[in-house]
């Protein structure tokens, strides 16, 4: 029986589409509070500004990043890692706003993950033309926890691959308000974002914001 059919479990009656055995697409999940979420993101980035990190190979990333939570994801010549201080400010990352945490846990719950306790919230800002190459998310110590991903602003084409880099990939559009939850057998799928096409959104202008929630520990 699909419990999501009951109003009390899914009061928004959001469509939950299976993308794979451990992953769900929640179409329009964030639409009721997109403005409030973007305001929280602005509060975070006022304290820990968005910046273009360098890859270990020395390339500047086209996506600008920041974090909130007890740890943040960073990249530099020394590699990819999570750390408790923002290297730009030398201070701890801003606290994860309650609304972001609550909505991430609701999304995980709707997708069948009941005990998601994210401690990291990675904020990605895409301008026109920004992209993210095919990668796996494997810097988290806890690979049994899912990742919850929120998309706001202008749309982007998500590239959804397989467990091997060379596996055939599918593409789908991530639009303003969409959430994706993935874990279980899909947790280590390769994925990326195609160069963002010129567009404007009333709430963000010519920008896409992606927020991913991760649980790095037990
Ligand atoms: C993005 N997302 O949507 C990039 N990674 O801009 C990711 O790289 C990602 O959405 C792991 C899990 C979910 C994601
Ligand atoms: Fe990723």
């Amino acid at each position: 029986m699909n419990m999501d059919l009951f109003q009390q479990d899914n009061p928004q009656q959001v469509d939950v589409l299976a993308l794979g055995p451990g992953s769900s697409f929640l179409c329009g999940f964030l639409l009721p509070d997109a403005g409030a979420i973007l305001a929280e993101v602005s509060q975070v980035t006022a304290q820990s500004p968005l910046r273009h990190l360098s890859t270990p190979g020395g390339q500047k990333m086209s996506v600008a990043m920041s974090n909130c939570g007890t740890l943040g994801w960073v990249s530099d010549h020394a590699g990819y890692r999570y750390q408790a201080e923002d290297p730009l400010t030398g201070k701890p990352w801003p606290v994860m706003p309650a609304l972001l945490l609550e909505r991430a846990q609701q999304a995980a719950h709707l997708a069948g993950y009941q005990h998601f306790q994210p401690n990291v919230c990675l904020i990605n800002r895409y301008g026109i033309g920004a992209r993210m190459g095919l990668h796996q998310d494997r810097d988290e110590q806890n690979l049994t926890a899912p990742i919850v991903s929120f998309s706001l602003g202008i749309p982007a084409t998500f590239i959804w691959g397989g467990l091997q880099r060379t596996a055939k990939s599918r593409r789908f559009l991530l639009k303003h308000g969409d959430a994706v939850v993935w874990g279980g057998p899909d947790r280590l799928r390769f994925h990326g974002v195609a160069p963002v096409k010129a567009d404007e959104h009333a709430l963000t202008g010519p920008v896409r914001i992606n927020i991913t929630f991760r649980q790095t520990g037990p």
Side-chain angles (χ1 to χ4, degrees), residues 126 132 135 137 147 149 158 182 191 193 208 210 212 214:
Y126 294 72
M132 192 173 290
H135 67 277
D137 285 54
I147 295 179
S149 165
F158 197 71
W182 37 312
H191 59 281
V193 176
R208 169 176 186 255
N210 169 256
T212 48
R214 298 125 191 283

Side-chain angles (χ1 to χ4, degrees), residues 7-218:
Q7 179 82 21
Q8 63 267 38
D9 289 322
N10 183 355
Q12 265 179 257
Q13 292 289 284
V14 62
D15 281 333
V16 181
L17 307 173
L19 286 173
S23 50
S24 301
F25 177 76
L26 312 183
C27 187
F29 175 72
L30 299 168
L31 288 177
D33 34 28
I37 289 170
L38 286 166
E40 301 274 41
V41 168
S42 296
Q43 296 262 339
V44 168
T45 58
Q47 298 169 70
S48 272
L50 289 156
R51 82 292 307 256
H52 295 271
L53 297 169
S54 295
T55 64
Q59 292 242 13
K60 267 242 151 63
M61 295 187 187
S62 59
V63 178
M65 298 183 176
S66 185
N67 294 273
C68 57
T70 60
L71 292 175
W73 187 85
V74 296
S75 171
D76 60 18
H77 60 91
Y80 305 124
R81 65 191 173 277
Y82 284 98
Q83 64 177 51
E85 280 86 37
D86 177 349
L88 198 61
T89 64
K91 294 195 231 163
W93 298 100
V95 171
M96 197 185 305
L99 175 64
L100 293 188
L101 174 62
E102 182 188 323
R103 296 295 268 151
Q105 288 183 314
Q106 280 171 354
H109 195 120
L110 281 177
Y113 296 97
Q114 314 303 332
H115 306 291
F116 184 49
Q117 286 294 347
N119 61 312
V120 173
C121 170
L122 170 63
I123 299 165
N124 291 155
R125 182 189 63 193
Y126 294 72
I128 308 302
R131 59 185 287 279
M132 192 173 290
L134 208 62
H135 67 277
Q136 287 174 302
D137 285 54
R138 53 184 325 148
D139 300 324
E140 301 75 26
Q141 267 171 28
N142 181 349
L143 293 176
T144 66
I147 295 179
V148 172
S149 165
F150 289 173
S151 290
L152 294 161
I154 66 176
T157 298
F158 197 71
I159 303 162
W160 174 252
L163 295 174
Q164 247 76 55
R165 183 176 282 279
T166 51
K168 195 171 151 43
S169 60
R170 291 190 291 161
R171 290 172 175 245
F172 56 91
L173 208 59
L174 288 177
K175 306 173 305 300
H176 178 75
D178 292 343
V180 184
V181 182
W182 37 312
D186 294 318
R187 179 64 177 73
L188 289 175
R189 274 184 190 267
F190 280 89
H191 59 281
V193 176
V196 169
K197 293 195 184 131
D199 203 344
E200 290 262 352
H201 189 279
L203 293 183
T204 62
V207 163
R208 169 176 186 255
I209 300 288
N210 169 256
I211 313 172
T212 48
F213 299 87
R214 298 125 191 283
Q215 179 176 337
T216 59

